Every structure is written in structure tokens, then in C-alpha cells.
Amino acid sequence: MAYTMTPTPPGPVGSQCCVCKVELSICGQNLLDRDVTSKSDPFCVLFMEVNGKWVELDRTETAVNNLNPAFAKKFIIDYHFEEVQKLKFALFDQDKSSTQLYEHDFLGEFSCTLGTIVSSKKITRTLLLGNGKPAGKGMITIAAQELSDNRVITLSMAGRKLDKKDLFGKSDPFLEFHKPGDDGKWMLVHRTEVIKYTLDPVWKPFTVPLVSLCDGDMEKLIKVVCYDYDSDGGHDFIGEFQTSVARLCEAQDASPLELECINPKKQKKKKNYKNSGIIIVKSCKITRDFSFLDYILGGCQLMFTVGIDFTASNGNPQEPSSLHYINPLGTNEYLSAIWAVGQIIQDYDSDKMFPALGFGAQLPPDWKVSHEFAINFNPRNPFCSGVEGIVQAYSACLPHIRFYGPTNFSPIINHVARFAAQATQQETASQYFILLIITDGVISDMDETRHAVVQASKLPMSIIIVGVGNADFAAMEFLDGDSRVLHSYTGEEAVRDIVQFVPFRNFRNVPKETLAKAVLAELPQQVVQYFKHQNLPPINSEPA
């Protein structure tokens, strides 16, 4: 049992683009008792697999004399959906003050991916010894929570009878919102647009993260300053006031909140000075800006389906020149793509049963062409158990089908879309469908496919296309609406971009994890975009 001791991990583990931070809470139950005169004094060590080695990230405090510890120290990890983040939780009985783990008695360990934890929110598992056998009755419970304040505040502001600052006209007022910085100085958070030639402005509603405005503390003082805009940058001060978000929240649509805008210099000079105008908070609403992880922690399942191209252009699978030829290492580009995407997605589907479909082949016994068949030859139950099940069904079906054509995508897209459409009837953020299509060539039914994608863009569904071989994939790039909006042949626009295309050839000589990152990079954003558009919060989400 080799552990690498690294008190400070080298740089952030994983890619630089972190989705968010996750806090893990650890409890142990019925731990082994390694002490003769008293109970064990357990502590938990967290490791992450980095380049094939276990690297220590952090450890909890020691719970003295306790076989059922609930550790106060939390583990905080950067969460990356598009990576397999393997974690190991090892428990030890502290015997000495040494930091070396071999100086302490081993109480058991548990390994899993971070994806497994966040998709379940809370898991309880058996602790294992180094030989793989249970560590007595010892169990570990790990609970995940997103570490981010996702509240946003939307303010609708206006002014009345502001001071006139321009010699030949009225004022051109705008507002600035400031919060106290760590250095004690006011820090600008937001600036509204300028409303020209008026003393009674009505600004557009705006939304900012609550953390930005007041560090999430609704009682913290914030300062609102009103200026008259000047094109030379020398804006004239009209007035200011201090308030808090809690106070702003008193404003309702029916009863706005009115706050006096004060110019301290004028206030000192003029005895009968009242104010420099009124700033009106027409409405103030605090809502949650839900993240991908909010939906996953809320119980949303990612429903994964694979579509495999068995057209003749792939070549005879018995010959090494074929894209379906399984080499002596037991792989090919189709299998590499299935593994790269499947090993990430499978953590987010509780039953891990995945439909695997083929298209473009002639099937026994009558050798009719099918563009939507179960590769396990069981149309009533096309599900495969885990990614391994898909790989086994794929390898088993190759000798029994005849590669043919044409390359039609629309039947498989419509197949998954039917299930995604059923999911919309639940009116909860409980399921999102992902179709992985692996293909070697040009789409034959481009009009039908464009139409199918445009219709699917209205559903909880995303399509990932991996192009294998060296064909011209210009049509695939066209479907991936990163640069322009996709249109159906009827002229209808896609509601959102749901297609991500990558050519496998760009990833042949790089680590296999790189393909998964490229393929899945847009998926979290697509999931959030769909549920927000449908105004569906995560299941069991807390009010703001």
C-alpha cells in the first residue's frame, strides 16, 4: 500500500477551468479498534490520483477515543465535470505525533470518483483493508456540498428631482454601487447606464451576484453614489447614501423604497438643505443562479445513449485497415471514443444501464438495412450494463452484421428525442439525455438531421459527435452551432446549440483524458441553459 506524501499539491489538480469547489464532509462508523487500553484515535486522509499515483491533498483532525467520528475539518476540492477525478479516503489510528502515515495503524480505505459522490450527494460505503477485504464492520459516509453562494440580486432603480448640474440642460445621471474593500476603501461593484437630459431617470433593471455586491452579507453597508455624466470623464457628484441589501429588500413592486440622495458639502453649507433628490428602489429580488452542480446534487440523472456507424465506408472489420478493426490491444477509435465519454457520464446515471444503437448495417436474418437497431439484438431491451457492457455488445455484434449504408443520423436522434420529450412531462429537472454518435463520414440525410437537431434543441438533450478516420467532416462542423445558429430545412432556428463535434484524429497522440475534456466541455452549460430556459430549479432546491 504505497502512499505519496505531498503536503502541498503541485498547483491546482486538474484543468485550469474549474467549474466550482465542492466541500466533502466525512464520518466514520464502527471503525476498527486498534488501541488496547482505549478506543482508536482516527483521522482521515484524502488522496487524489495524479498521473497514476496517489497524492495526498489534505487530512482531517484526529478524533480522540472515537470509533464513530464526525470530522469537523472539511475537504475542499476543485470539481471538473469533464474529468475522472479518482479519490481515496484512508483512515488511520493516530499513535504518534509523526506526519508519516506508516507510523500510524491503518483502519481501512475507500476509493471512488468525485462524480460518484456528487451524483449521489451522500454515500455510505464499506471500508476495505489493503487485501481488499472489509475492515471489520467499518463504514465511511461522505457528503458533498457545493461551495458557492449562487444568489443573485436584481434591482430596478429610478430617481426623482435630482439636482440639475448642466448649465444649459438638465443632468445626465447614473448610479454607482460600492462595497467596503479589505483595505477599508470603497470598491466599485456596479455602474448603471447613463440616462440623458433628465432629473427623473428610470434605469434598466440589472442583476449582479450577491457575493459581488455585499460578499453575501445582507446586513453589510453598501454605498450608492449618483453622478451627472460628463464626456470628459469629470463627472459631477450629485449625492450619495449608504444602505444594506436587507434594507433594499423592503422594496416591493407595489410599494417602492425611497432613499434620500445627500450631498454632504451642500448639507453643511445650506441650513434649509433637504436632499439632492430621491433615489427610488422600484423592486429588489434575490434569486438563485443555479449551476450544473446544483442540478446534479439535486438528483438530475444524465441519460446516456451511444449511436455507432456501421456503414460500409468503415471497411471490413476483419482487416487492419478498417476503422472497426479491434487491434491486439483490444481497442480502436470507436472503442476509445466510447470509453472516453462513457467513463465520465456513467457516474451520473444511478442504474448505469445504457442503450447502445447502431445504424447503416444489414441485419440477420433477412439482411434488411437498419438505421436504428440495438447492438445487443434485443430491441425490447437495448440496455447495456455500464461502459463495459457497451464494449462487450459492440465486439459481439461485429461478426453478425453486414456493413452497408447510407449514413443516416436522424432516426437515432429522433429515437432519443422521443424519450427526452417524455421527460419534459415530469416538469422537474430530473433527467437530461446525451446522445454520443460515432461516425466515419458524411451524413446522407442532412436535411432530416438538421430538422431533428432543431426539434431536439427544445428538449433536455445534447448530441456529441465524434468523427473517426480521415474523412471530410465539414458537415459535422455545420451541425455544431458554435459559429452560427443552425436552421432546419423549414427555416426554423435551433433554440440553443446542442451539438458538439470533435474529430478523433486531433486526439490520436495525446492523453485519452484530453478527448473527454474536449467532447464534454460544453455539456454543463447546455444542461443549465435548458433547465433555466424552462424555469426549472433543481429538485429539492432551497429558496434564495
Side-chain angles (χ1 to χ4, degrees), residues 91-102:
L91 285 117
F92 296 86
D93 171 25
Q94 181 164 343
D95 283 337
K96 302 172 183 173
S97 58
S98 171
T99 58
Q100 301 297 322
L101 293 176
Y102 62 79

Side-chain angles (χ1 to χ4, degrees), residues 244-262:
S244 67
V245 170
R247 178 95 168 92
L248 296 177
C249 285
E250 293 173 16
Q252 302 294 331
D253 291 332
S255 56
L257 176 67
E258 299 194 350
L259 297 158
E260 288 188 304
C261 195
I262 303 296

Side-chain angles (χ1 to χ4, degrees), residues 461-483:
M461 176 174 168
S462 288
I463 301 166
I464 296 164
I465 303 173
V466 176
V468 295
N470 296 310
D472 176 10
F473 291 122
M476 309 296 179
E477 301 279 9
F478 176 73
L479 287 176
D480 187 341
D482 282 348
S483 55

Side-chain angles (χ1 to χ4, degrees), residues 425-484:
Q425 294 168 15
Q426 298 174 29
E427 296 185 350
T428 58
S430 57
Q431 290 182 323
Y432 192 92
F433 291 76
I434 295 146
L435 170 60
L436 168 65
I437 298 176
I438 314 168
T439 181
D440 81 317
V442 179
I443 303 172
S444 306
D445 63 338
M446 191 58 175
D447 281 353
E448 291 81 359
T449 294
R450 278 166 52 201
H451 186 71
V453 170
V454 168
Q455 299 311 310
S457 72
K458 305 168 191 172
L459 301 171
M461 176 174 168
S462 288
I463 301 166
I464 296 164
I465 303 173
V466 176
V468 295
N470 296 310
D472 176 10
F473 291 122
M476 309 296 179
E477 301 279 9
F478 176 73
L479 287 176
D480 187 341
D482 282 348
S483 55
R484 60 192 167 310

Side-chain angles (χ1 to χ4, degrees), residues 73 78 105 371 380 424 430 439 517:
K73 170 77 182 285
D78 289 350
D105 292 326
H371 296 291
R380 290 187 177 178
T424 62
S430 57
T439 181
K517 286 181 189 177

